[in-house]
Amino acid sequence: MACAVHAQSSDPATPASPAPVIERSAPPKPAARPRPAAAKAASEPAAPLQSALTADLFYEILMGEMTARSGDPGSGYALVLDAARRLRDGKLFQRAVEIALQSRSGDAALAAARAWQETLPNSRDARRIELQILIALNRIGETVEPLRAEVAATSQIERPLLMAVIARNYSRASDKKLAASVVEQALVDELKSPTTGGLAWATVGRLRLNAGDASSALEAARKGQEIDPASEAPAVLALEMIDPGQPLAEPIVTRYLNNNPKAAPDLRIAYARVLVENRRYNDAAAQLQTVTTSRPELAEPWLLLGSLQMQNRQDAAAEASIKRFIELSGSQKAASKDADANDAADRKRGLSQAYFALSQLAERRKDYAAAERWLSRIDGADELVAAQTRRATLLARQGKLPQAREVIRGLPERTPEDKKQKFLAEVQLLRDAKQFQAAYDMLAQASAASPDDGDLVYDQAMIAEKLNRLDDMERLLRRLIELKPENQNAYNALGYSLADRKIRLEEARTLIQKAVQLAPADPFIADSLGWVEFRLGNTAEAIRILEAAYKTRPDPEIGAHFGEVLWTSGQKDRAVTIWKEALLSDAENETLQETLKRLRVKP
């Protein structure tokens, strides 16, 4: 750092002192003709003001800097701090703090910050640095008063930024519970105010959450919303806590969104993403429908909505939504030529996802030429690998399996993960083409080389089922449970297989219940549980479980099971309705077709 000689401080609390003027003698000039007094006064410079920086102070500051740089920071610190006091210069105080911190003397840095505060009581820089040092020294209890003063000095417009800084800085404290308590004490006035209570309680709640106290954090969010229903902050905090174990979090979010229809779309989009993560696809779609209706000019919600519509087999609506996203992305790109690299990369990723989705939709209707045209629009290096994999799938669907396998084998292998993904993609091609023995042989060979790879074991078990090698399937799934005791898919697959064959039904239920414990929101696992309850003769319970699963995820396989239970219980009209919906979703689903054929039903 350059020598900290400051004759005029930028600190608002420091009196201004112009820099000293050092005049040199100049050669004499020829005599000029006399001028009017006014003109003479205008042309002559004003007399320099007297500087507070004396020669002694200048020397003291210079010696302080030189001493600090020469390996004696303690002496340099003392000289600079003394000069700061005498000049009442905020930047010199800041330099003293810096010297102390560079010498790893937190106490000296704090002393300098406090001397700064005493000398210039109105300096916010001094107070902020004092707060930072106290937090770094873990002297959290001493920050109540300076933090309260800093909040009081901050305008309402700047409060959201200040609260974000408070949450970030205090989250670094080692005693996180104390940090939350201290901030709550400092914000005592803000917590009571209808204009600041929502933001203040959300800040306290975030620190409580950081301390591992989710229930108290949720209570803070509730209080914040109660005192300031228009504040977004409590809802944002509650959104982070939405979980089956915190059922009171989601109502805070929905209450805010329902009462504030013009709320920022980012919160509603984030809520939709959380719903997707919890497999609540219909609820997520409803939120995105609201955004696309109220803010149709935003691109991102259209892609998210189209993805959900596609998942629900609403193909026409999905295609319209995704094309709307592409149209808006193009117009936004033209309107924001100065967008940064991150924005450009995000837009490119979004467009690639859209092209993939449209290709898949074209493939569903067996328009392979259109599917290929959409894939050809993808040009990113990483996306090209996925595009080639998709091309291989298109070839396989057209009966060109050897060519499809060659496409997969020609993909680059930059990492071991790339090699594994290529292998699994080729296995999937064989599976889709019903070349089960070839797929099983590939997996058996790979699993022998990597016996602890759970993915390989699971895939081999699923292919063994297709080959009716049920003993092998069970052996492999039990092996996977040994390798990965928390793998819900292993418990679910084994339990469902037993239930479907009507054998060892109590054991099947125990296995599936374990899967439910590991993934309580998974509708496919709920489907398995409903199916085993049906096999055990608990028809009413089976209907309850399957109806909830189908509502969460109207998948044709779940629909096949739900319809069969309804049919068997005498609710044949309702069963036919469910099957018709499932056929519209995926008329080729194997489980659905087998069910209709076995029951001799033509919906």
Side-chain angles (χ1 to χ4, degrees), residues 78-208:
L79 290 168
V80 172
L81 181 58
D82 180 66
R85 283 194 177 102
R86 293 164 66 184
L87 281 173
R88 302 174 59 82
D89 189 301
K91 289 195 173 181
L92 283 175
F93 278 113
Q94 184 171 352
R95 180 58 183 143
V97 171
E98 291 170 354
I99 292 172
L101 292 176
Q102 287 166 3
S103 63
R104 301 179 181 273
S105 178
D107 289 338
L110 180 60
R114 285 179 167 170
W116 184 359
Q117 180 84 322
E118 290 168 5
T119 306
L120 304 172
N122 295 324
S123 171
R124 292 186 67 183
D125 287 341
R127 185 166 54 237
R128 288 169 178 169
I129 289 178
E130 180 188 5
L131 273 169
Q132 292 172 10
I133 295 171
L134 285 169
I135 294 170
L137 293 174
N138 205 35
R139 292 164 65 170
I140 304 298
E142 299 177 39
T143 66
V144 174
E145 291 308 320
L147 179 56
R148 186 174 295 167
E150 179 62 21
V151 172
T154 303
S155 68
Q156 291 294 331
I157 294 176
E158 294 177 320
R159 287 287 175 89
L161 177 59
L162 175 63
M163 293 298 169
V165 170
I166 289 171
R168 183 172 63 249
N169 287 347
Y170 277 83
S171 67
R172 298 168 182 160
S174 59
D175 190 337
K176 301 188 184 306
K177 288 187 177 181
L178 176 62
S181 174
V182 163
V183 169
E184 184 174 352
Q185 293 176 54
L187 300 181
V188 63
D189 294 330
E190 283 66 31
L191 294 170
K192 300 173 184 176
S193 169
T195 58
T196 62
L199 185 58
W201 272 115
T203 303
V204 171
R206 192 164 298 285
L207 289 167
R208 289 177 177 179

Side-chain angles (χ1 to χ4, degrees), residues 356 375 378 382-392:
F356 273 120
L375 287 177
I378 298 169
D382 293 335
E383 290 82 359
L384 280 174
V385 173
Q388 285 293 86
T389 304
R390 197 81 212 142
R391 284 193 176 92

